[in-house]
Amino acid sequence: VERKKRAAAVIEDVERNLATPTALLRSIADAMVVEMERGLRGDIHACLKMLISYVDNLPTGDEHGLFYALDLGGTNFRVLRVQLGGREKRVVKQQYDEVSIPPHLMVGTSMELFDFIAAALAKFVDTEGDDFHLPEGRQRELGFTFSFPVHQTSISSGTLIKWTKGFSINGAVGEDVVGELSRAMERQGLDMKVTALVNDTVGTLAGGRYMDNDVVAAVILGTGTNAAYVEHANAIPKWTGLLPRSGNMVINTEWGSFKSDKLPLSEYDKAMDFESLNPGEQIYEKMISGMYLGEIVRRILLKLAHDASLFGDVVPPKLEQPFILRTPDMSAMHHDSSHDLKILGAKLKDIVGVADTSLEVRYITRHICDIVAERGARLAAAGIYSILKKIGRDKVPSDGSKLPRTVVALDGGLYEHYKKFSSCLEATLQDLLGEEASSSVVAKLANDGSGIGAALLAASHSQYG
Ligand code: ADP
Ligand code: MG
């Protein structure tokens, strides 16, 4: 009985500290709009960097030819080639390959990392079949999706601002990532030119627009989280170049680094942040994205094990191990709807090493998954809502006209595979928008849109015009 009381006290505390009532989400969205404006002004203290992508035109559908793309930014990297057939034939053929990055390369030297990538790319190019056509005498061209904050200096160059998501490589910050990739390709004897360097959010936005003309923003919910959207060029005070003819500029918000005292930051978040590779940074990302959700659940379960002997008299040693509980496992536990929570029980046995958990312990575990996933999904919805506010697509115009159809392209393993997360996000967004506006706003899965998007941007920025 004493144990139960202590467990109930911890759970109550977690519920209270991770709560995201709608009113709070609205004030978080307002704070985010303020930070977006600061970032667009170039205020160095803004927590949203609002990076200029140099993409002032999104794909039109006319792109044609053979293009490659390479996507680096998480646990896997992907290579892709696509034969574009213009307005009529669209994507004639595409092929891709996925390679996981050996963990030691994520914390090694940048030369090793880029050599590994270039070697895999060269191998992939070798398998190009006859159904792909490169005109005589032309160099192959590549769109490079690089999902870390980059200070772009043109559409095809930029320097790394910082690593995130478990990457930490000495000496790469401040370097031109296209230069590093190009030199590694040369070392491999691979003749290929990088014509577009894009963030994965920008790639997803481009790929999304190619599929649906009403796409105005793209959001990634995978290992990390980020968003990009189409901004009016004249709403970017820090842009000192000529105004683009389109009047638009795609902005990479880097919203993962959003921070605000309005965010429901618990003791578990603070401890995880403190022990992370990048303490004090990416606070919003650490509350939302796939790299961290399972770890937050683990920390809460550990507290329950310590304070309320949730898994028996001894705290299971495996539960003490950071990142042992991965978000896909959390998702599997959360979705267990069997009457005896059999799957969840088996997962606890596998991961934590406790064989016979009571039904009550299983319910508690599922409840914790629910609280952590719900907070992440609701905070992500608040972020999307803030972008819609920023571009005036959050409500029906006051002049009585209709809100134009507004599509947000979403991608990333978390959004794609964690059903309870994605449905909570969508329901929350509807709630924030209200009935009328939400009937014009669509959240749409753009599966691997960033790869094709990068290839499309490589095409529209081809050296052969
Ligand atoms: P990345 O973000 O690394 O580029 P993805 O978009 O494929 O790659 O996202 C991978 C991330 O998605 C994983 O790190 C994991 O956190 C999350 N994820 C993958 N599968 C699932 C799943 N079934 N349930 C919940 N999260 C998942
Ligand atoms: Mg990705």
Side-chain angles (χ1 to χ4, degrees), residues 246-279:
S246 66
N248 295 320
M249 177 60 78
V250 172
I251 295 292
N252 164 17
T253 64
E254 288 295 334
W255 81 7
S257 59
F258 176 61
K259 203 187 288 191
S260 159
D261 54 16
K262 299 202 166 65
L263 287 174
L265 202 67
S266 68
E267 59 179 284
Y268 309 99
D269 301 294
K270 288 176 190 157
M272 178 177 75
D273 173 49
F274 187 74
E275 292 167 31
S276 70
L277 282 174
N278 52 353

PDB file of all heavy atoms in Angstrom, residues 246-279:
ATOM      1  N   SER A 246      10.662  36.039 -57.242  1.00  0.00           N
ATOM      2  CA  SER A 246       9.447  35.366 -56.779  1.00  0.00           C
ATOM      3  C   SER A 246       8.826  36.094 -55.582  1.00  0.00           C
ATOM      4  O   SER A 246       7.663  35.895 -55.260  1.00  0.00           O
ATOM      5  CB  SER A 246       9.779  33.932 -56.347  1.00  0.00           C
ATOM      6  OG  SER A 246      10.612  33.966 -55.195  1.00  0.00           O
ATOM      7  N   GLY A 247       9.643  36.915 -54.908  1.00  0.00           N
ATOM      8  CA  GLY A 247       9.161  37.587 -53.702  1.00  0.00           C
ATOM      9  C   GLY A 247       9.210  36.682 -52.477  1.00  0.00           C
ATOM     10  O   GLY A 247       8.840  37.093 -51.382  1.00  0.00           O
ATOM     11  N   ASN A 248       9.663  35.456 -52.665  1.00  0.00           N
ATOM     12  CA  ASN A 248       9.657  34.493 -51.564  1.00  0.00           C
ATOM     13  C   ASN A 248      11.054  34.004 -51.229  1.00  0.00           C
ATOM     14  O   ASN A 248      11.963  34.054 -52.051  1.00  0.00           O
ATOM     15  CB  ASN A 248       8.818  33.264 -51.931  1.00  0.00           C
ATOM     16  CG  ASN A 248       7.359  33.605 -52.111  1.00  0.00           C
ATOM     17  OD1 ASN A 248       6.808  34.404 -51.352  1.00  0.00           O
ATOM     18  ND2 ASN A 248       6.730  33.028 -53.121  1.00  0.00           N
ATOM     19  N   MET A 249      11.174  33.500 -50.011  1.00  0.00           N
ATOM     20  CA  MET A 249      12.408  32.841 -49.600  1.00  0.00           C
ATOM     21  C   MET A 249      12.047  31.736 -48.606  1.00  0.00           C
ATOM     22  O   MET A 249      11.276  31.970 -47.673  1.00  0.00           O
ATOM     23  CB  MET A 249      13.344  33.853 -48.936  1.00  0.00           C
ATOM     24  CG  MET A 249      14.642  33.276 -48.409  1.00  0.00           C
ATOM     25  SD  MET A 249      15.674  32.508 -49.672  1.00  0.00           S
ATOM     26  CE  MET A 249      16.408  33.956 -50.445  1.00  0.00           C
ATOM     27  N   VAL A 250      12.591  30.560 -48.850  1.00  0.00           N
ATOM     28  CA  VAL A 250      12.351  29.475 -47.903  1.00  0.00           C
ATOM     29  C   VAL A 250      13.258  29.676 -46.689  1.00  0.00           C
ATOM     30  O   VAL A 250      14.461  29.919 -46.835  1.00  0.00           O
ATOM     31  CB  VAL A 250      12.615  28.099 -48.548  1.00  0.00           C
ATOM     32  CG1 VAL A 250      12.549  26.995 -47.499  1.00  0.00           C
ATOM     33  CG2 VAL A 250      11.605  27.842 -49.667  1.00  0.00           C
ATOM     34  N   ILE A 251      12.675  29.605 -45.523  1.00  0.00           N
ATOM     35  CA  ILE A 251      13.411  29.771 -44.269  1.00  0.00           C
ATOM     36  C   ILE A 251      13.462  28.439 -43.522  1.00  0.00           C
ATOM     37  O   ILE A 251      12.429  27.769 -43.358  1.00  0.00           O
ATOM     38  CB  ILE A 251      12.705  30.829 -43.376  1.00  0.00           C
ATOM     39  CG1 ILE A 251      12.751  32.218 -44.015  1.00  0.00           C
ATOM     40  CG2 ILE A 251      13.327  30.855 -41.971  1.00  0.00           C
ATOM     41  CD1 ILE A 251      14.129  32.841 -44.100  1.00  0.00           C
ATOM     42  N   ASN A 252      14.653  28.069 -43.125  1.00  0.00           N
ATOM     43  CA  ASN A 252      14.848  26.918 -42.256  1.00  0.00           C
ATOM     44  C   ASN A 252      14.848  27.438 -40.817  1.00  0.00           C
ATOM     45  O   ASN A 252      15.789  28.101 -40.391  1.00  0.00           O
ATOM     46  CB  ASN A 252      16.178  26.234 -42.612  1.00  0.00           C
ATOM     47  CG  ASN A 252      16.647  25.276 -41.521  1.00  0.00           C
ATOM     48  OD1 ASN A 252      15.875  24.882 -40.657  1.00  0.00           O
ATOM     49  ND2 ASN A 252      17.916  24.909 -41.573  1.00  0.00           N
ATOM     50  N   THR A 253      13.778  27.151 -40.093  1.00  0.00           N
ATOM     51  CA  THR A 253      13.614  27.782 -38.774  1.00  0.00           C
ATOM     52  C   THR A 253      14.633  27.308 -37.739  1.00  0.00           C
ATOM     53  O   THR A 253      14.962  28.031 -36.830  1.00  0.00           O
ATOM     54  CB  THR A 253      12.218  27.488 -38.191  1.00  0.00           C
ATOM     55  OG1 THR A 253      12.097  26.078 -37.974  1.00  0.00           O
ATOM     56  CG2 THR A 253      11.112  27.980 -39.107  1.00  0.00           C
ATOM     57  N   GLU A 254      15.101  26.033 -37.866  1.00  0.00           N
ATOM     58  CA  GLU A 254      15.889  25.407 -36.791  1.00  0.00           C
ATOM     59  C   GLU A 254      15.129  25.506 -35.465  1.00  0.00           C
ATOM     60  O   GLU A 254      15.684  25.876 -34.435  1.00  0.00           O
ATOM     61  CB  GLU A 254      17.294  26.017 -36.691  1.00  0.00           C
ATOM     62  CG  GLU A 254      18.212  25.615 -37.836  1.00  0.00           C
ATOM     63  CD  GLU A 254      18.536  24.110 -37.884  1.00  0.00           C
ATOM     64  OE1 GLU A 254      18.481  23.441 -36.835  1.00  0.00           O
ATOM     65  OE2 GLU A 254      18.813  23.605 -38.996  1.00  0.00           O
ATOM     66  N   TRP A 255      13.857  25.134 -35.520  1.00  0.00           N
ATOM     67  CA  TRP A 255      13.017  25.313 -34.334  1.00  0.00           C
ATOM     68  C   TRP A 255      13.390  24.380 -33.180  1.00  0.00           C
ATOM     69  O   TRP A 255      12.961  24.592 -32.048  1.00  0.00           O
ATOM     70  CB  TRP A 255      11.540  25.281 -34.686  1.00  0.00           C
ATOM     71  CG  TRP A 255      10.891  23.925 -34.864  1.00  0.00           C
ATOM     72  CD1 TRP A 255      11.428  22.677 -34.622  1.00  0.00           C
ATOM     73  CD2 TRP A 255       9.533  23.693 -35.282  1.00  0.00           C
ATOM     74  NE1 TRP A 255      10.498  21.700 -34.888  1.00  0.00           N
ATOM     75  CE2 TRP A 255       9.336  22.285 -35.294  1.00  0.00           C
ATOM     76  CE3 TRP A 255       8.471  24.521 -35.652  1.00  0.00           C
ATOM     77  CZ2 TRP A 255       8.112  21.700 -35.655  1.00  0.00           C
ATOM     78  CZ3 TRP A 255       7.260  23.929 -36.012  1.00  0.00           C
ATOM     79  CH2 TRP A 255       7.092  22.553 -36.019  1.00  0.00           C
ATOM     80  N   GLY A 256      14.194  23.351 -33.472  1.00  0.00           N
ATOM     81  CA  GLY A 256      14.619  22.445 -32.403  1.00  0.00           C
ATOM     82  C   GLY A 256      15.310  23.159 -31.258  1.00  0.00           C
ATOM     83  O   GLY A 256      15.308  22.683 -30.119  1.00  0.00           O
ATOM     84  N   SER A 257      15.888  24.329 -31.545  1.00  0.00           N
ATOM     85  CA  SER A 257      16.608  25.037 -30.483  1.00  0.00           C
ATOM     86  C   SER A 257      15.714  26.034 -29.743  1.00  0.00           C
ATOM     87  O   SER A 257      16.201  26.802 -28.918  1.00  0.00           O
ATOM     88  CB  SER A 257      17.833  25.740 -31.059  1.00  0.00           C
ATOM     89  OG  SER A 257      17.427  26.642 -32.060  1.00  0.00           O
ATOM     90  N   PHE A 258      14.415  25.989 -30.030  1.00  0.00           N
ATOM     91  CA  PHE A 258      13.492  26.876 -29.313  1.00  0.00           C
ATOM     92  C   PHE A 258      13.564  26.607 -27.814  1.00  0.00           C
ATOM     93  O   PHE A 258      13.672  25.458 -27.364  1.00  0.00           O
ATOM     94  CB  PHE A 258      12.060  26.654 -29.811  1.00  0.00           C
ATOM     95  CG  PHE A 258      11.020  27.457 -29.078  1.00  0.00           C
ATOM     96  CD1 PHE A 258      11.070  28.847 -29.091  1.00  0.00           C
ATOM     97  CD2 PHE A 258       9.999  26.824 -28.374  1.00  0.00           C
ATOM     98  CE1 PHE A 258      10.110  29.587 -28.410  1.00  0.00           C
ATOM     99  CE2 PHE A 258       9.040  27.553 -27.703  1.00  0.00           C
ATOM    100  CZ  PHE A 258       9.091  28.946 -27.727  1.00  0.00           C
ATOM    101  N   LYS A 259      13.509  27.677 -27.073  1.00  0.00           N
ATOM    102  CA  LYS A 259      13.606  27.605 -25.621  1.00  0.00           C
ATOM    103  C   LYS A 259      12.694  28.688 -25.073  1.00  0.00           C
ATOM    104  O   LYS A 259      12.634  29.776 -25.646  1.00  0.00           O
ATOM    105  CB  LYS A 259      15.062  27.921 -25.244  1.00  0.00           C
ATOM    106  CG  LYS A 259      15.508  27.394 -23.908  1.00  0.00           C
ATOM    107  CD  LYS A 259      16.898  27.887 -23.540  1.00  0.00           C
ATOM    108  CE  LYS A 259      18.011  27.259 -24.341  1.00  0.00           C
ATOM    109  NZ  LYS A 259      19.352  27.564 -23.803  1.00  0.00           N
ATOM    110  N   SER A 260      11.978  28.402 -24.023  1.00  0.00           N
ATOM    111  CA  SER A 260      11.098  29.415 -23.451  1.00  0.00           C
ATOM    112  C   SER A 260      10.731  28.961 -22.054  1.00  0.00           C
ATOM    113  O   SER A 260      10.598  27.751 -21.809  1.00  0.00           O
ATOM    114  CB  SER A 260       9.823  29.540 -24.304  1.00  0.00           C
ATOM    115  OG  SER A 260       8.773  30.127 -23.556  1.00  0.00           O
ATOM    116  N   ASP A 261      10.573  29.901 -21.148  1.00  0.00           N
ATOM    117  CA  ASP A 261      10.183  29.477 -19.802  1.00  0.00           C
ATOM    118  C   ASP A 261       8.742  28.964 -19.776  1.00  0.00           C
ATOM    119  O   ASP A 261       8.278  28.454 -18.765  1.00  0.00           O
ATOM    120  CB  ASP A 261      10.446  30.569 -18.763  1.00  0.00           C
ATOM    121  CG  ASP A 261       9.802  31.884 -19.144  1.00  0.00           C
ATOM    122  OD1 ASP A 261       8.916  31.868 -20.044  1.00  0.00           O
ATOM    123  OD2 ASP A 261      10.159  32.923 -18.573  1.00  0.00           O
ATOM    124  N   LYS A 262       8.055  29.102 -20.911  1.00  0.00           N
ATOM    125  CA  LYS A 262       6.700  28.539 -20.994  1.00  0.00           C
ATOM    126  C   LYS A 262       6.719  27.034 -21.246  1.00  0.00           C
ATOM    127  O   LYS A 262       5.725  26.346 -21.018  1.00  0.00           O
ATOM    128  CB  LYS A 262       5.923  29.238 -22.099  1.00  0.00           C
ATOM    129  CG  LYS A 262       5.780  30.733 -21.850  1.00  0.00           C
ATOM    130  CD  LYS A 262       4.617  31.306 -22.614  1.00  0.00           C
ATOM    131  CE  LYS A 262       4.270  32.697 -22.108  1.00  0.00           C
ATOM    132  NZ  LYS A 262       5.347  33.673 -22.366  1.00  0.00           N
ATOM    133  N   LEU A 263       7.821  26.517 -21.749  1.00  0.00           N
ATOM    134  CA  LEU A 263       7.885  25.073 -22.032  1.00  0.00           C
ATOM    135  C   LEU A 263       7.806  24.276 -20.726  1.00  0.00           C
ATOM    136  O   LEU A 263       8.479  24.620 -19.751  1.00  0.00           O
ATOM    137  CB  LEU A 263       9.187  24.723 -22.765  1.00  0.00           C
ATOM    138  CG  LEU A 263       9.282  25.154 -24.226  1.00  0.00           C
ATOM    139  CD1 LEU A 263      10.677  24.879 -24.778  1.00  0.00           C
ATOM    140  CD2 LEU A 263       8.227  24.438 -25.079  1.00  0.00           C
ATOM    141  N   PRO A 264       6.991  23.212 -20.705  1.00  0.00           N
ATOM    142  CA  PRO A 264       6.859  22.411 -19.486  1.00  0.00           C
ATOM    143  C   PRO A 264       8.067  21.492 -19.286  1.00  0.00           C
ATOM    144  O   PRO A 264       8.045  20.324 -19.617  1.00  0.00           O
ATOM    145  CB  PRO A 264       5.572  21.602 -19.735  1.00  0.00           C
ATOM    146  CG  PRO A 264       5.448  21.512 -21.218  1.00  0.00           C
ATOM    147  CD  PRO A 264       6.103  22.743 -21.786  1.00  0.00           C
ATOM    148  N   LEU A 265       9.107  22.076 -18.724  1.00  0.00           N
ATOM    149  CA  LEU A 265      10.382  21.379 -18.550  1.00  0.00           C
ATOM    150  C   LEU A 265      10.411  20.730 -17.169  1.00  0.00           C
ATOM    151  O   LEU A 265      10.335  21.421 -16.161  1.00  0.00           O
ATOM    152  CB  LEU A 265      11.501  22.418 -18.677  1.00  0.00           C
ATOM    153  CG  LEU A 265      12.892  21.930 -19.036  1.00  0.00           C
ATOM    154  CD1 LEU A 265      12.930  21.368 -20.445  1.00  0.00           C
ATOM    155  CD2 LEU A 265      13.900  23.076 -18.907  1.00  0.00           C
ATOM    156  N   SER A 266      10.536  19.411 -17.132  1.00  0.00           N
ATOM    157  CA  SER A 266      10.489  18.699 -15.849  1.00  0.00           C
ATOM    158  C   SER A 266      11.895  18.376 -15.356  1.00  0.00           C
ATOM    159  O   SER A 266      12.874  18.569 -16.071  1.00  0.00           O
ATOM    160  CB  SER A 266       9.711  17.395 -16.025  1.00  0.00           C
ATOM    161  OG  SER A 266      10.447  16.509 -16.849  1.00  0.00           O
ATOM    162  N   GLU A 267      11.968  17.829 -14.154  1.00  0.00           N
ATOM    163  CA  GLU A 267      13.279  17.416 -13.629  1.00  0.00           C
ATOM    164  C   GLU A 267      13.925  16.373 -14.547  1.00  0.00           C
ATOM    165  O   GLU A 267      15.149  16.315 -14.670  1.00  0.00           O
ATOM    166  CB  GLU A 267      13.131  16.843 -12.211  1.00  0.00           C
ATOM    167  CG  GLU A 267      12.188  15.639 -12.154  1.00  0.00           C
ATOM    168  CD  GLU A 267      12.038  15.027 -10.745  1.00  0.00           C
ATOM    169  OE1 GLU A 267      12.966  14.331 -10.328  1.00  0.00           O
ATOM    170  OE2 GLU A 267      10.981  15.256 -10.116  1.00  0.00           O
ATOM    171  N   TYR A 268      13.099  15.551 -15.199  1.00  0.00           N
ATOM    172  CA  TYR A 268      13.628  14.497 -16.080  1.00  0.00           C
ATOM    173  C   TYR A 268      14.284  15.120 -17.314  1.00  0.00           C
ATOM    174  O   TYR A 268      15.338  14.692 -17.764  1.00  0.00           O
ATOM    175  CB  TYR A 268      12.508  13.535 -16.499  1.00  0.00           C
ATOM    176  CG  TYR A 268      11.746  13.036 -15.291  1.00  0.00           C
ATOM    177  CD1 TYR A 268      10.521  13.593 -14.921  1.00  0.00           C
ATOM    178  CD2 TYR A 268      12.291  12.034 -14.480  1.00  0.00           C
ATOM    179  CE1 TYR A 268       9.853  13.170 -13.781  1.00  0.00           C
ATOM    180  CE2 TYR A 268      11.633  11.599 -13.341  1.00  0.00           C
ATOM    181  CZ  TYR A 268      10.407  12.175 -13.000  1.00  0.00           C
ATOM    182  OH  TYR A 268       9.763  11.755 -11.871  1.00  0.00           O
ATOM    183  N   ASP A 269      13.614  16.141 -17.857  1.00  0.00           N
ATOM    184  CA  ASP A 269      14.180  16.838 -19.016  1.00  0.00           C
ATOM    185  C   ASP A 269      15.494  17.506 -18.647  1.00  0.00           C
ATOM    186  O   ASP A 269      16.462  17.473 -19.412  1.00  0.00           O
ATOM    187  CB  ASP A 269      13.205  17.912 -19.516  1.00  0.00           C
ATOM    188  CG  ASP A 269      11.879  17.317 -19.918  1.00  0.00           C
ATOM    189  OD1 ASP A 269      11.846  16.562 -20.895  1.00  0.00           O
ATOM    190  OD2 ASP A 269      10.861  17.584 -19.229  1.00  0.00           O
ATOM    191  N   LYS A 270      15.490  18.137 -17.469  1.00  0.00           N
ATOM    192  CA  LYS A 270      16.690  18.881 -17.060  1.00  0.00           C
ATOM    193  C   LYS A 270      17.871  17.936 -16.879  1.00  0.00           C
ATOM    194  O   LYS A 270      18.983  18.234 -17.319  1.00  0.00           O
ATOM    195  CB  LYS A 270      16.420  19.651 -15.769  1.00  0.00           C
ATOM    196  CG  LYS A 270      15.504  20.845 -15.983  1.00  0.00           C
ATOM    197  CD  LYS A 270      15.176  21.547 -14.677  1.00  0.00           C
ATOM    198  CE  LYS A 270      14.070  22.579 -14.900  1.00  0.00           C
ATOM    199  NZ  LYS A 270      13.339  22.886 -13.671  1.00  0.00           N
ATOM    200  N   ALA A 271      17.621  16.789 -16.257  1.00  0.00           N
ATOM    201  CA  ALA A 271      18.711  15.837 -16.029  1.00  0.00           C
ATOM    202  C   ALA A 271      19.212  15.270 -17.361  1.00  0.00           C
ATOM    203  O   ALA A 271      20.420  15.139 -17.584  1.00  0.00           O
ATOM    204  CB  ALA A 271      18.244  14.724 -15.106  1.00  0.00           C
ATOM    205  N   MET A 272      18.273  14.944 -18.262  1.00  0.00           N
ATOM    206  CA  MET A 272      18.682  14.398 -19.565  1.00  0.00           C
ATOM    207  C   MET A 272      19.504  15.427 -20.341  1.00  0.00           C
ATOM    208  O   MET A 272      20.541  15.099 -20.929  1.00  0.00           O
ATOM    209  CB  MET A 272      17.446  14.000 -20.380  1.00  0.00           C
ATOM    210  CG  MET A 272      17.782  13.470 -21.771  1.00  0.00           C
ATOM    211  SD  MET A 272      16.336  12.921 -22.675  1.00  0.00           S
ATOM    212  CE  MET A 272      15.611  14.493 -23.137  1.00  0.00           C
ATOM    213  N   ASP A 273      19.049  16.677 -20.317  1.00  0.00           N
ATOM    214  CA  ASP A 273      19.771  17.743 -21.007  1.00  0.00           C
ATOM    215  C   ASP A 273      21.171  17.900 -20.431  1.00  0.00           C
ATOM    216  O   ASP A 273      22.156  17.997 -21.162  1.00  0.00           O
ATOM    217  CB  ASP A 273      18.985  19.054 -20.872  1.00  0.00           C
ATOM    218  CG  ASP A 273      19.763  20.232 -21.429  1.00  0.00           C
ATOM    219  OD1 ASP A 273      20.258  20.121 -22.567  1.00  0.00           O
ATOM    220  OD2 ASP A 273      19.883  21.255 -20.723  1.00  0.00           O
ATOM    221  N   PHE A 274      21.250  17.895 -19.115  1.00  0.00           N
ATOM    222  CA  PHE A 274      22.526  18.107 -18.437  1.00  0.00           C
ATOM    223  C   PHE A 274      23.551  17.050 -18.846  1.00  0.00           C
ATOM    224  O   PHE A 274      24.727  17.346 -19.011  1.00  0.00           O
ATOM    225  CB  PHE A 274      22.300  18.076 -16.918  1.00  0.00           C
ATOM    226  CG  PHE A 274      23.522  18.440 -16.125  1.00  0.00           C
ATOM    227  CD1 PHE A 274      23.956  19.760 -16.058  1.00  0.00           C
ATOM    228  CD2 PHE A 274      24.254  17.463 -15.456  1.00  0.00           C
ATOM    229  CE1 PHE A 274      25.091  20.101 -15.332  1.00  0.00           C
ATOM    230  CE2 PHE A 274      25.393  17.799 -14.732  1.00  0.00           C
ATOM    231  CZ  PHE A 274      25.811  19.115 -14.669  1.00  0.00           C
ATOM    232  N   GLU A 275      23.087  15.820 -19.010  1.00  0.00           N
ATOM    233  CA  GLU A 275      23.999  14.722 -19.340  1.00  0.00           C
ATOM    234  C   GLU A 275      24.194  14.541 -20.848  1.00  0.00           C
ATOM    235  O   GLU A 275      24.892  13.622 -21.279  1.00  0.00           O
ATOM    236  CB  GLU A 275      23.464  13.412 -18.741  1.00  0.00           C
ATOM    237  CG  GLU A 275      23.509  13.408 -17.214  1.00  0.00           C
ATOM    238  CD  GLU A 275      22.703  12.275 -16.598  1.00  0.00           C
ATOM    239  OE1 GLU A 275      22.593  11.191 -17.218  1.00  0.00           O
ATOM    240  OE2 GLU A 275      22.173  12.480 -15.492  1.00  0.00           O
ATOM    241  N   SER A 276      23.559  15.395 -21.661  1.00  0.00           N
ATOM    242  CA  SER A 276      23.614  15.191 -23.111  1.00  0.00           C
ATOM    243  C   SER A 276      24.914  15.738 -23.705  1.00  0.00           C
ATOM    244  O   SER A 276      25.689  16.403 -23.024  1.00  0.00           O
ATOM    245  CB  SER A 276      22.418  15.885 -23.773  1.00  0.00           C
ATOM    246  OG  SER A 276      22.568  17.297 -23.686  1.00  0.00           O
ATOM    247  N   LEU A 277      25.101  15.462 -25.002  1.00  0.00           N
ATOM    248  CA  LEU A 277      26.279  15.971 -25.718  1.00  0.00           C
ATOM    249  C   LEU A 277      26.221  17.486 -25.889  1.00  0.00           C
ATOM    250  O   LEU A 277      27.236  18.123 -26.141  1.00  0.00           O
ATOM    251  CB  LEU A 277      26.344  15.340 -27.121  1.00  0.00           C
ATOM    252  CG  LEU A 277      26.850  13.911 -27.250  1.00  0.00           C
ATOM    253  CD1 LEU A 277      26.700  13.438 -28.697  1.00  0.00           C
ATOM    254  CD2 LEU A 277      28.314  13.822 -26.815  1.00  0.00           C
ATOM    255  N   ASN A 278      25.005  18.037 -25.808  1.00  0.00           N
ATOM    256  CA  ASN A 278      24.833  19.470 -26.070  1.00  0.00           C
ATOM    257  C   ASN A 278      23.952  20.125 -25.003  1.00  0.00           C
ATOM    258  O   ASN A 278      22.854  20.579 -25.296  1.00  0.00           O
ATOM    259  CB  ASN A 278      24.252  19.686 -27.476  1.00  0.00           C
ATOM    260  CG  ASN A 278      22.992  18.856 -27.735  1.00  0.00           C
ATOM    261  OD1 ASN A 278      22.614  18.003 -26.909  1.00  0.00           O
ATOM    262  ND2 ASN A 278      22.330  19.095 -28.839  1.00  0.00           N
ATOM    263  N   PRO A 279      24.438  20.165 -23.759  1.00  0.00           N
ATOM    264  CA  PRO A 279      23.622  20.701 -22.671  1.00  0.00           C
ATOM    265  C   PRO A 279      23.181  22.146 -22.932  1.00  0.00           C
ATOM    266  O   PRO A 279      23.949  22.943 -23.456  1.00  0.00           O
ATOM    267  CB  PRO A 279      24.539  20.610 -21.437  1.00  0.00           C
ATOM    268  CG  PRO A 279      25.874  20.197 -21.920  1.00  0.00           C
ATOM    269  CD  PRO A 279      25.741  19.667 -23.299  1.00  0.00           C
TER     270      PRO A 279
END
